[in-house]
Amino acid sequence: MSTLSEPLAPEGLDAWRRLPVKQQPEWPDADALADVTADLAAQPPLVFAGEADTLRERLAAASRGEAFLLQGGDCAETFSELSADNIRDKIKTILQMAVVLTYGASMPIIKMGRMAGQYAKPRSSGTETRDGVSLPAYRGDIINGFEFSPSSRTPDPRRLLEAYRNSASTLNLIRAFTSGGFADLRLVHEWNRGFLRNPAYAQYEAFAAEIDRAIRFMHAAGADFDGLRTVEFFSSHEGLLLDYERPLTRVDSRTGDAYDCSAHFLWIGERTRELDGAHVDFFSRVRNPIGVKLGPTATGQDAIGLMDSLNPDGEAGRLTFITRMGAPKVRELLPDLIEAVRADGRPVTWVCDPMHGNGFTSSNGYKTRRFSDVIEEVRGFFDVHRELGTVPGGLHVELTGDDVTEVLGGAEHIDDHSLGRRYQTLVDPRLNHQQSLEMAFLVADMLRVS
Ligand code: PEP
Ligand code: CO
C-alpha cells in the first residue's frame, strides 16, 4: 500500500494563497490558526489515494453510462447531530435508494455521502443582522456556532480539529456499516418492503414486486449473496474552507501526486468556481475526482475554462459537473452547456442537483423546496440528455434518514403549516427518509426508459 506523506509537496499547492479567495472566514487570531493547521497536517489522512483513484474509475464509468452516481446527505452536518443513529439512518436511506436505482438503471450505483466532512457553508452575506445587531454569518460548524451571540459567531480555528475528529469517527462508522453486513441486499430490500406498507406509496408496489422477483431469481440461480453484503461507499463534501483542505493534502509516495485526504470527492461550489480564483487553482493540483456546481449563470465558456484548469488532459472520471438550474430553467439552460462540452470532446460526468435551484421561502417563513419541483428538475435533466444523446450520470441530493418536515409535498403532502413540526436543518431543507425513497422510485422509472 502507498504511504501518504507531506514533506515533498509539489510546487504550487500553496499558490492559491496569492489568488482572490471567496467565502473564507476572518480568523481573529493568525497564530491560533497556524497552530491548528500544523496540528492537522500531522494527523493521519482520512482516506487513501488508492480509494480516490478507484472512485475516479467509477465516475468514468458513470460518464459512459455504465454506472450511476447517488450522492446524498445533509446540507450541513453539525457536531451536535453526530450520533450512531443519525449516521446509520442516513446510510440506510442511501442504500435503500440505491437498491431501487440499481434495479431501474440495471447498472451499478456509486454510493457517496455528503458526509464525514460537510461542515463548511458558503453564505450569501458575510454578516447576519437581528434586531439591529450584526454578527458574522454562520458558516458551518467547522468555522463558528449557529447560536446568535458574539462568542459563538466568532470564527474559532479549534473547530477545524473538531471537524477532523468528527469526520474520522463518521467515516469509521460508515466503513463499519457498509462492510459489516448492514448493506446486505436482502436486508435492504426488506426495509423497502416495510416502507411500502404505508398505503400512501401503493403506486410503487408493482416496482418493488419486480425487485422481489429479481432477488428470488438471483437466489434460485445461485447468486452469491454473501458477496453482496459489502458495498463501496465514498465520502464527499464541498471543498470550501482551504485552511482545512490544504493541511489534509498529502503526497502519494508511489507517484508524487497530491491528494486531498479529507474526502474521496470534493466539489467546488457555485459561489467559488471563478476561473482565476483560489478554489479552482487549489483543486487543479490534487488528484481526487473533483466536482463543480454549475448554476443558471454558467456559460459554455465557463465549462470549458473549468475543464482547461481541472482536467486539461481529458481524463475520464476526473471532472464531474453538478448542474443546479432550477426546475423551470433546466430545459432551457442545460443544452448550451452540454453542447459546448460535447464540442470540446473531453469527457465529464454529468450529475443533477435538483435541490439548490429550487429554494424559496414559505408563506410562514421557512426556507423550503417543493418535492414536485425537485422531481421536475431531474426529469428535465434526463430529457435534455436523452434529446442530445449524452449521458445523465448521477443525482446529488440533500437528504436525511429522519422524519423531518423541511421539503413541501411528497405522497405525505407536507404543507406550509406542517413545515414547522420537525424543521431541523440549520441551512437548506432536506428530503426526509420517505421523500428520499419516493424520489428513488420516481428516478428509477426515468432511468429505466433511458
Ligand atoms: C450546497 O451544495 O449545499 C451548496 C451550497 O450548493 P451550491 O454551491 O450549488 O449553491
Ligand atoms: Co445546501
Side-chain angles (χ1 to χ4, degrees), residues 209-247:
E210 276 186 49
I211 301 179
D212 224 38
R213 280 181 71 81
I215 290 177
R216 277 185 280 139
F217 168 76
M218 285 167 69
H219 191 72
D224 173 17
F225 280 98
D226 284 339
L228 297 173
R229 285 162 54 86
T230 296
V231 297
E232 273 182 347
F233 196 102
F234 298 99
S235 67
S236 71
H237 60 260
E238 178 171 349
L240 182 67
L241 181 60
L242 296 177
D243 285 322
Y244 181 73
E245 305 304 336
R246 173 63 186 93

Side-chain angles (χ1 to χ4, degrees), residues 62 80 93 96 115 148 160 164 228 329 333 387 391:
S80 66
T93 303
Q96 285 183 261
M115 291 174 81
F148 193 75
L160 274 67
Y164 167 81
L228 297 173
K329 297 192 198 138
L333 299 177
E387 274 158 33
V391 177

Side-chain angles (χ1 to χ4, degrees), residues 74-76 114 118 121-122 238 267 293 353 355-356 367 369 396 398 427-429:
D74 293 310
C75 181
R114 278 176 69 113
Q118 177 53 21
K121 298 308 300 172
E238 178 171 349
W267 75 87
K293 293 281 200 90
D353 165 1
M355 316 300 292
H356 289 90
K367 199 173 166 190
R369 296 160 173 152
H396 177 116
E398 287 184 342
V427 190
D428 290 336

Side-chain angles (χ1 to χ4, degrees), residues 334-350:
L334 192 54
D336 284 354
L337 286 184
I338 296 177
E339 296 281 19
V341 169
R342 184 163 61 176
D344 176 276
R346 283 173 291 187
V348 304
T349 307
W350 291 102

Side-chain angles (χ1 to χ4, degrees), residues 135-442:
L135 292 174
Y138 171 64
R139 288 187 178 276
D141 276 10
I142 195 170
I143 290 164
N144 57 4
F146 186 72
E147 188 196 297
F148 193 75
S149 70
S151 63
S152 146
R153 286 293 173 91
T154 302
D156 179 354
R158 284 171 305 184
R159 286 176 169 271
L160 274 67
L161 284 167
E162 200 173 345
Y164 167 81
R165 283 191 293 265
N166 287 353
S167 299
S169 59
T170 302
L171 203 50
N172 180 52
L173 208 53
I174 290 176
R175 292 187 194 276
F177 279 137
T178 54
S179 64
F182 189 71
D184 188 310
L185 173 65
R186 293 160 297 185
L187 180 64
V188 177
H189 179 61
E190 269 318 302
W191 296 332
N192 281 347
R193 308 258 0 160
F195 159 78
L196 289 169
R197 278 197 270 282
N198 181 339
Y201 304 112
Q203 56 177 310
Y204 308 117
E205 185 50 51
F207 199 106
E210 276 186 49
I211 301 179
D212 224 38
R213 280 181 71 81
I215 290 177
R216 277 185 280 139
F217 168 76
M218 285 167 69
H219 191 72
D224 173 17
F225 280 98
D226 284 339
L228 297 173
R229 285 162 54 86
T230 296
V231 297
E232 273 182 347
F233 196 102
F234 298 99
S235 67
S236 71
H237 60 260
E238 178 171 349
L240 182 67
L241 181 60
L242 296 177
D243 285 322
Y244 181 73
E245 305 304 336
R246 173 63 186 93
L248 286 172
T249 297
R250 308 298 159 80
V251 174
D252 181 3
S253 61
R254 296 173 307 174
T255 58
D257 289 331
Y259 287 77
D260 182 345
C261 296
S262 70
H264 299 111
F265 179 89
L266 288 306
W267 75 87
I268 302 173
E270 167 72 359
R271 295 173 184 78
T272 50
R273 62 171 168 76
E274 63 285 358
L275 292 175
D276 51 2
H279 290 82
V280 169
D281 184 89
F282 179 72
F283 288 107
S284 73
R285 297 171 194 273
V286 299
R287 279 285 285 151
N288 307 57
I290 298 296
V292 185
K293 293 281 200 90
L294 296 178
T297 61
T299 63
Q301 241 179 340
D302 293 338
I304 305 302
L306 288 162
M307 290 159 73
D308 288 342
S309 296
L310 293 166
N311 193 21
D313 301 331
E315 184 183 15
R318 156 71 178 173
L319 182 59
T320 296
F321 282 149
I322 307 167
T323 59
R324 27 92 82 223
M325 300 297 170
K329 297 192 198 138
V330 62
R331 290 167 197 276
E332 176 198 332
L333 299 177
L334 192 54
D336 284 354
L337 286 184
I338 296 177
E339 296 281 19
V341 169
R342 184 163 61 176
D344 176 276
R346 283 173 291 187
V348 304
T349 307
W350 291 102
V351 169
C352 174
D353 165 1
M355 316 300 292
H356 289 90
N358 292 311
F360 67 97
T361 302
S362 70
S363 60
N364 48 350
Y366 290 98
K367 199 173 166 190
T368 189
R369 296 160 173 152
R370 276 190 202 91
F371 184 77
S372 55
D373 291 341
V374 168
I375 297 302
E376 199 40 44
E377 177 154 0
V378 183
R379 203 177 293 285
F381 172 82
F382 274 97
D383 286 349
V384 168
H385 278 287
R386 219 163 276 145
E387 274 158 33
L388 295 175
T390 47
V391 177
L395 193 60
H396 177 116
V397 270
E398 287 184 342
L399 56 79
T400 158
D402 299 331
D403 190 17
V404 299
T405 53
E406 299 171 3
V407 170
L408 295 168
E412 291 184 290
H413 304 295
I414 296 175
D415 58 15
D416 281 28
H417 178 68
S418 30
L419 283 177
R421 270 192 281 146
R422 283 179 305 281
Y423 190 96
Q424 290 165 5
T425 183
L426 298 189
V427 190
D428 290 336
R430 303 158 295 177
L431 299 177
N432 64 25
H433 177 73
Q434 293 89 326
Q435 289 169 327
S436 302
L437 289 183
E438 190 173 1
M439 173 186 225
F441 280 103
L442 292 168

